[in-house]
């Protein structure tokens, strides 16, 4: 079945550091891939998406590239800010038994220190 | 506008109470979802509605009863809940059941006493 594996945190960085959160997936065919962010006490916000191989999703300085050959969708940001502190979820929607349900990774908590 | 609204923001209820959670979207989306999220975990799917009809029920106990009165509204009726049902309840919507992105509301923080 479809699944998502992302690096477990917590990840602690200093302000202006480079961020990478790894995400790999298992799925039939070509799923759509997403990163969601959840700030403390809030719901999930769609951060970025990619719908086909080699697509690059980007938003608010974050980027992720859909790599079919490595089944990966790693999240990157060149210079993190304190306001980026949150939990980040990698997710996919694919074909097969999940009927296109959203499959989440376990989440990675990011803390950015000033 | 990609907004999904949920009310109330917080809810405390006893195990014998009946309450309802409400969700609304005005994006013209035809699929709506209820999720349950426990602390430090990803959301777990509970129900899926497509074109106002229940499409998926992920073996959720009958003390949770969903309702979709129209294409913009989704309710979750709660009755005789248990303390372990305390969680953040999230509503989401998407254009359809395909590979579309889902947009989430801010959630209702439910505490069962």
């Amino acid at each position: 079945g479809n699944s998502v594996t992302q690096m477990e945190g917590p990840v602690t960085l200093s302000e202006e550091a480079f961020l990478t959160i790894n995400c790999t997936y298992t799925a039939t065919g070509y799923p759509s891939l997403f990163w969601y962010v959840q700030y403390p006490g809030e719901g999930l916000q769609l951060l970025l998406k990619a719908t086909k191989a080699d697509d690059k999703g980007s938003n608010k300085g974050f980027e992720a590239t859909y790599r079919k050959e490595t089944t990966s969708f790693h999240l990157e940001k060149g210079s993190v800010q304190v306001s980026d502190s949150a939990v980040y979820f990698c997710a996919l929607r694919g074909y097969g038994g999940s009927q296109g349900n959203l499959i989440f990774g376990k989440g990675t908590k990011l803390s950015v220190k000033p | 506008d990609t907004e999904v609204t949920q009310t109330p923001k917080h809810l405390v209820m006893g195990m014998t109470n009946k309450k309802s959670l409400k969700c609304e979207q005005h994006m013209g989306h035809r699929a709506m979802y209820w999720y349950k999220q426990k602390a430090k975990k990803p959301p777990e799917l509970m129900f899926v509605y497509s074109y106002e009809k229940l499409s998926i029920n992920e073996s959720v106990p009958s003390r949770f009863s969903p309702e979709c009165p129209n294409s913009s509204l989704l309710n979750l009726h709660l009755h005789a809940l248990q303390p372990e049902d305390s969680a953040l309840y999230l509503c989401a919507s998407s254009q359809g059941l395909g590979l579309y992105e889902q947009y989430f509301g801010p959630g209702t923080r439910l505490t069962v006493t």
Side-chain angles (χ1 to χ4, degrees):
Chain A
N2 297 337
S3 67
V4 174
T5 303
Q6 65 180 102
M7 62 185 285
E8 299 202 21
V11 174
T12 302
L13 296 173
S14 297
E15 205 164 24
E16 299 184 2
F18 186 85
L19 169 70
T20 299
I21 301 177
N22 290 336
C23 173
T24 57
Y25 68 90
T26 302
T28 304
Y30 290 85
S32 290
L33 301 174
F34 309 95
W35 277 100
Y36 284 88
V37 57
Q38 186 171 32
Y39 298 101
E42 298 186 10
L44 275 68
Q45 296 179 24
L46 178 65
L47 183 59
L48 52 84
K49 68 176 184 179
T51 58
K52 60 183 187 294
D54 300 324
D55 264 2
K56 178 185 282 188
S58 62
N59 186 25
K60 299 181 181 179
F62 291 89
E63 293 183 341
T65 300
Y66 189 143
R67 301 286 188 199
K68 181 68 175 173
E69 64 277 12
T70 54
T71 61
S72 65
F73 192 55
H74 304 322
L75 182 68
E76 296 182 336
K77 187 175 185 183
S79 176
V80 294
Q81 305 300 311
V82 172
S83 57
D84 294 325
S85 297
V87 178
Y88 293 81
F89 291 98
C90 184
L92 70 81
R93 289 194 85 173
Y95 301 99
S98 66
Q99 297 185 55
N101 291 345
L102 199 56
I103 308 297
F104 289 97
K106 292 186 177 181
T108 302
K109 183 176 182 180
L110 171 66
S111 296
V112 180
K113 307 298 184 186
Chain B
D1 183 12
T2 56
E3 189 177 28
V4 177
T5 59
Q6 290 187 244
T7 55
K9 189 171 178 62
H10 299 277
L11 178 62
V12 179
M13 60 185 291
M15 290 188 285
T16 58
N17 291 160
K18 286 185 180 181
K19 297 287 185 182
S20 297
L21 309 185
K22 296 184 183 302
C23 173
E24 189 167 10
Q25 58 89 10
H26 293 288
M27 294 178 277
H29 288 172
R30 303 318 300 257
M32 296 185 76
Y33 311 78
W34 280 115
Y35 288 86
K36 173 182 178 180
Q37 186 181 27
K38 300 286 271 185
K40 300 184 180 181
K41 299 288 188 181
E44 298 175 15
L45 183 66
M46 299 175 72
F47 302 104
V48 180
Y49 273 83
S50 176
Y51 288 86
E52 301 160 48
K53 294 193 187 311
L54 185 63
S55 175
I56 296 174
N57 175 342
E58 291 285 354
S59 303
V60 179
S62 60
R63 57 185 184 268
F64 295 91
S65 175
E67 177 195 21
C68 190
N70 60 54
S71 60
S72 300
L73 293 174
L74 187 65
N75 298 323
L76 185 63
H77 303 297
L78 314 173
H79 174 56
L81 294 192
Q82 304 297 310
E84 59 265 29
D85 296 322
S86 299
L88 181 67
Y89 288 83
L90 295 163
C91 174
S93 71
S94 67
Q95 197 170 333
L97 288 183
L99 305 187
Y100 304 103
E101 62 270 26
Q102 293 183 17
Y103 294 94
F104 285 80
T108 293
R109 176 72 62 187
L110 174 67
T111 302
V112 181
T113 61

